[in-house]
Amino acid sequence: MGALEEWIAEMFLVHSLNLLRFSSGAQEKILLLMAAMSKELTAKLNEGEISTYGKQRLGALLRESNAVISSHYTGMQAEMTRNLTGMVRIEADYTAKVLRQALKIELGAKLPPATYLEKLVGDTLIKGASSADWWKRQALDTQFRFASQVRLGAAQGETTSQIVSRVLGKSAKAADSLSNKPALPVTPPMPDSKAPPAGPATKPGAPPVDPNAKPPGTAPDPVAPGEQGILKTSAANARALVHSSVQAVANAARLASFQQNSDLIECLVWLSTLDSHTCLLCAMRDLHEYSLDDQEPINHTHEWAGGPGAIHFSCRCVLSTRTKSFKDLGIELDEPGDSTRPSDGGPVSGKMNFKDFLASKDKAWRAEYLGPGRAEMYEAGKITLNDLMNLKGRKLTLEELQAKYAR
């Protein structure tokens, strides 16, 4: 990475903390709607003793409950659309501000048309589907799991109270507990448009880690009737969708802004988070470059696969860029000094990629991140970070790796 590229990357990494705060605020609103749905479903279940219901009455209860779930999920989708529509213009403005500040463009960088930005909210895909489609899928999933637990409880002769516990969990005070969330991270400073990028920007600390996040590859918690409750899983899924929608749409808006200023941009740069929660899909793409127009890999074989923020749910990757140099743009200025990027151990050189970051850790850290079997092969030099995936980006199991490198 060149010095100017490092500085721009640091600006977007610092800004990503503000996006996490925005995501947390949006999650809070969605979880409040989820809690209201929970209370309405609980009231509907408590209208009678379900174990005494006949087939017809039970069917009516489930139809009414499905309508409640559908209505609330429609409200959640509308709330997120409102939030994303407001955010997408802010993201484009911020991207233009960074380019203007970095390259000393007096008249300002160009912005995508407002109508195009609004269209991005509906068109941006997360793992091949739009945010609206994912909300519909989550509504159907909640309806299915709700009906399954009610039918199962009724078939086993459980009381209404026991069936409510299947839905909400044992602490069925609980509708309110759906809106519990971790504290928000501290707001980082926004870049000063008057300050020249002649030296390293303020060094941000490591990005906050969601206490509810699980290490890469960890299976989701099983839904145990009477323990977790099916709506706890629905709430977790909704939170993941909010975060993923914010990340995907923000990066899509940034890409549109880069493309609008193609005369300034050399290529796109993928930035992964330097900590143990980063999955191998993202780790192997860190600091890799892609073409601006069609996002084709440059000097590597790792496909774009949706891009930063959209390659998988809860992705924390950030899209940055390598601009043309001051010299190429005819600007008579010295290039800025070296910059930094955040990691779980504090700021590190902006030139450090995930491979270097992995090498900087001790054997115990690498064993925990890669798994003992993979780590042993990595330490012996039998595999590289790229070897942990096959050519299509699919994760390899330990057994597949051992077979691939068997002597």
Side-chain angles (χ1 to χ4, degrees):
M1 291 177 76
L4 184 59
E5 180 185 353
E6 291 172 25
W7 184 87
I8 292 172
E10 185 166 13
M11 289 296 95
F12 286 126
L13 286 168
V14 171
H15 176 62
S16 70
L17 299 181
N18 279 325
L19 289 179
L20 286 176
R21 287 178 57 83
F22 173 75
S23 174
S24 294
Q27 287 175 39
E28 179 180 15
K29 294 175 183 177
I30 294 301
L31 293 179
L32 288 173
L33 294 173
M34 183 77 68
M37 180 184 76
S38 174
K39 290 179 179 177
E40 192 170 342
L41 289 172
T42 301
K44 190 158 289 295
L45 290 174
N46 282 321
E47 288 176 356
E49 191 54 58
I50 297 175
S51 60
T52 66
Y53 284 10
K55 183 177 180 179
Q56 187 173 4
R57 189 174 179 189
L58 183 61
L61 168 66
L62 294 179
R63 285 192 297 275
E64 292 168 7
S65 299
N66 280 346
V68 169
I69 293 169
S70 178
S71 174
H72 280 279
Y73 269 93
T74 298
M76 294 177 210
Q77 179 189 334
E79 174 65 18
M80 271 313 296
T81 299
R82 184 184 70 81
N83 276 271
L84 293 173
T85 300
M87 180 204 71
V88 72
R89 183 58 190 241
I90 294 172
E91 190 62 31
D93 286 341
Y94 180 84
T95 301
K97 183 176 183 179
V98 170
L99 292 176
R100 182 174 67 248
Q101 184 178 344
L103 299 174
K104 312 293 183 182
I105 305 170
E106 296 298 332
L107 298 179
K110 297 186 285 291
L111 289 171
T115 52
Y116 180 80
L117 290 173
E118 290 176 9
K119 192 169 181 290
L120 275 182
V121 173
D123 290 350
T124 300
L125 302 182
I126 308 165
K127 285 186 68 67
S130 68
S131 178
D133 287 338
W134 281 113
W135 283 114
K136 291 173 186 174
R137 179 171 174 175
Q138 288 197 8
L140 291 172
D141 178 63
T142 298
Q143 288 173 341
F144 176 81
R145 288 183 296 109
F146 177 87
S148 296
Q149 293 304 318
V150 171
R151 287 195 182 101
L152 185 58
Q156 295 179 353
E158 294 179 358
T159 65
T160 294
S161 177
Q162 289 173 315
I163 293 173
V164 168
S165 291
R166 285 178 170 273
V167 175
L168 293 183
K170 275 189 175 175
S171 77
K173 294 180 176 177
D176 294 331
S177 73
L178 293 178
S179 60
N180 291 343
K181 63 184 194 321
L184 301 180
V186 176
T187 306
M190 298 292 279
D192 181 357
S193 60
K194 297 180 181 179
T202 302
K203 295 181 179 181
V209 175
D210 185 342
N212 295 322
K214 301 183 188 308
T218 302
D221 292 332
V223 179
E227 294 291 339
Q228 184 178 353
I230 63 105
L231 290 188
K232 286 285 188 179
T233 299
S234 295
N237 289 341
R239 287 188 63 187
L241 180 52
V242 170
H243 170 86
S244 300
S245 298
V246 168
Q247 290 291 98
V249 171
N251 282 306
R254 193 173 301 162
L255 173 59
S257 297
F258 290 154
Q259 290 174 331
Q260 194 71 17
N261 294 277
S262 58
D263 55 323
L264 309 175
I265 304 298
E266 194 71 38
C267 65
L268 305 173
V269 179
W270 188 303
L271 301 175
S272 302
T273 303
L274 299 181
D275 65 24
S276 61
H277 294 279
T278 297
C279 71
L280 290 171
L281 275 174
C282 297
M284 65 197 293
R285 287 169 168 78
D286 186 37
L287 296 190
H288 279 23
E289 296 180 345
Y290 295 83
S291 62
L292 178 62
D293 292 331
D294 51 11
Q295 296 81 62
E296 286 295 315
I298 298 176
N299 298 324
H300 62 91
T301 59
H302 305 311
E303 296 176 356
W304 183 249
I311 189 171
H312 61 78
F313 265 86
S314 299
C315 179
R316 297 172 298 151
C317 294
V318 173
L319 177 63
S320 188
T321 185
R322 175 158 60 86
T323 63
K324 296 177 180 177
S325 67
F326 285 160
K327 182 179 179 181
D328 290 340
L329 293 171
I331 300 173
E332 295 183 2
L333 284 174
D334 293 333
E335 301 292 335
D338 291 343
S339 192
T340 62
R341 61 182 301 190
S343 76
D344 64 358
V348 297
S349 168
K351 294 181 172 65
M352 179 178 280
N353 60 21
F354 202 95
K355 176 185 175 183
D356 298 331
F357 172 71
L358 193 62
S360 74
K361 297 296 185 178
D362 58 30
K363 287 186 177 182
W365 195 98
R366 288 193 291 269
E368 183 176 355
Y369 178 74
L370 298 173
R374 294 184 183 91
E376 184 178 347
M377 299 176 75
Y378 186 86
E379 303 293 349
K382 294 181 179 179
I383 59 172
T384 66
L385 190 59
N386 288 346
D387 291 327
L388 293 168
M389 297 278 176
N390 67 15
L391 293 179
K392 295 182 179 179
R394 184 176 64 84
K395 189 180 296 185
L396 292 174
T397 66
L398 177 58
E399 290 73 23
E400 288 171 330
L401 263 182
Q402 289 170 335
K404 182 176 179 181
Y405 292 94
R407 292 181 178 179

